[in-house]
Amino acid sequence: MSKKRGKEAPSQGDALSYKDYTKALLPLHAELVKLQEWVVQKRKKVCIVFEGRDGAGKGGVIKAITERVSPRVFRVIALPAPTEREKSQMYVQRYLPHLPAAGEVVIFDRSWYNRAGVERVMGFCSEEEAEAFLNAIPLVERAIVNSGVLLIKYWLEVTEEEQTRRLEARINDGRKVWKLTDMDLRSYSRWYDYSRARDAMFKASDTEIAPWSVAISNDKRRARLNIISDLLGRIPYEAMPRKRVKLPKRQASDGYTAPDYPFKFITEEF
């Protein structure tokens, strides 16, 4: 997979069709399975952080990554708002227990960077607390990496127009209405406050040991493919030897007959 890193925002071109998307996704899923086997057999620790604009498509990317691998290996962490007890702890403390152990890939659907983004913009922490976080987080991430964790950080970016289109689409779509939170509505009008917070976060935490990678996600399908391809290119995995699989013979019925039992079958409406 490609390991090139672009310096300028790429153009995503025309929207990718669902047919072309699924065709391109198939071999990437096969590679993710190879990655999973490598992580398990080599007892590696991988941590992937997803941050970005509201409506940028983080959840869709994570689903695309995890839909063909084991949830026991690829664990997705999406923490709720902190409890009163957690608010009294060292800020990153509640995230640390979720870091990967050997043989695991942990994906954070938002992470400790909440403090640099939503908490700072919406006033859930003070400016002093936000600055203290930005000063400390490079040291925390260095400790994480030095413990043997491969830490990969992605920021998903969309235009103002595309964010508006996606949030409006959630209002009347029964499949998506749960995604539109009060926080989304409160945050929507503060585009440039979030831009400033993002810029400060990148300046402080885009380090050599834990760099940020930016994905343009105006086309969700292209973004998913590009991120998975990039992710595979950042991890030095290799195909692990597999045992040859052959189905065994089924046992003989040994006189078994199906019972005359009134099973309550579901109604087949389709």
Side-chain angles (χ1 to χ4, degrees):
M1 300 298 165
S2 173
K3 297 186 179 183
K4 294 181 180 179
R5 290 173 61 86
K7 294 183 179 180
E8 297 180 358
S11 172
Q12 292 201 302
D14 296 333
L16 190 66
S17 71
Y18 180 73
K19 180 180 179 180
D20 289 341
Y21 168 67
T22 54
K23 181 179 179 180
L25 189 57
L26 182 63
L28 294 176
H29 277 161
E31 291 300 317
L32 285 169
V33 171
K34 292 180 184 178
L35 169 62
Q36 173 178 268
E37 293 171 340
W38 176 79
V39 166
V40 171
Q41 293 188 37
K42 296 294 186 178
R43 295 181 60 77
K44 298 296 184 178
K45 298 181 288 186
V46 180
C47 180
I48 309 167
V49 169
F50 281 101
E51 296 285 347
R53 299 276 190 182
D54 291 335
K58 295 178 292 297
V61 171
I62 293 170
K63 286 182 180 179
I65 292 172
T66 58
E67 64 182 329
R68 295 294 180 179
V69 291
S70 170
R72 292 183 293 276
V73 178
F74 280 72
R75 295 193 296 109
V76 179
I77 306 300
L79 296 184
T83 64
E84 289 303 314
R85 180 177 184 275
E86 288 171 334
K87 290 178 182 178
S88 71
Q89 296 174 342
M90 179 179 70
Y91 174 70
V92 298
Q93 186 173 338
R94 75 185 189 122
Y95 296 96
L96 298 181
H98 300 284
L99 290 173
E104 292 181 345
V105 178
V106 168
I107 300 175
F108 280 95
D109 184 354
R110 296 202 180 276
S111 66
W112 43 88
Y113 284 103
N114 276 341
R115 173 134 297 182
V118 63
E119 289 192 13
R120 186 176 203 176
V121 172
M122 302 307 296
F124 297 143
C125 70
S126 66
E127 278 296 303
E128 291 75 18
E129 288 172 325
E131 288 295 334
F133 166 79
L134 292 176
N135 288 331
I137 199 60
L139 299 176
V140 174
E141 291 182 345
R142 179 175 291 276
I144 291 172
V145 172
N146 287 345
S147 74
V149 174
L150 179 56
L151 178 60
I152 301 171
K153 303 186 303 191
Y154 288 107
W155 175 271
L156 274 63
E157 187 69 38
V158 292
T159 61
E160 293 179 77
E161 295 78 13
E162 180 61 16
Q163 185 191 58
T164 297
R165 189 192 69 78
R166 292 181 186 179
L167 295 181
E168 286 180 341
R170 295 176 181 179
I171 295 174
N172 298 314
D173 190 331
R175 302 166 302 167
K176 300 178 180 179
V177 66
W178 65 272
K179 294 183 177 182
L180 192 62
T181 66
D182 290 340
M183 187 57 60
D184 291 332
L185 297 175
R186 292 172 59 192
S187 299
Y188 174 74
S189 64
R190 308 188 71 169
W191 176 272
Y192 290 105
D193 286 342
Y194 273 98
S195 295
R196 295 183 184 94
R198 176 205 59 197
D199 296 346
M201 181 189 76
F202 270 56
K203 183 177 180 181
S205 62
D206 186 22
T207 62
E208 183 176 350
I209 198 169
W212 280 102
S213 296
V214 178
I216 304 301
S217 60
N218 290 325
D219 183 332
K220 291 182 179 181
R221 292 169 182 164
R222 289 186 189 278
R224 293 167 191 171
L225 297 175
N226 288 331
I227 290 172
I228 295 174
S229 178
D230 183 87
L231 173 65
L232 292 168
R234 292 177 186 279
I235 303 175
Y237 72 98
E238 56 186 352
M240 293 287 99
R242 294 174 179 168
K243 294 181 180 179
R244 186 175 180 180
V245 178
K246 183 179 180 180
L247 293 176
K249 292 183 178 180
R250 292 191 189 276
Q251 66 181 151
S253 64
D254 196 23
Y256 173 82
T257 57
D260 184 18
Y261 183 82
F263 292 106
K264 299 176 180 66
F265 292 102
I266 65 170
T267 301
E268 296 184 347
E269 296 187 6
F270 302 96

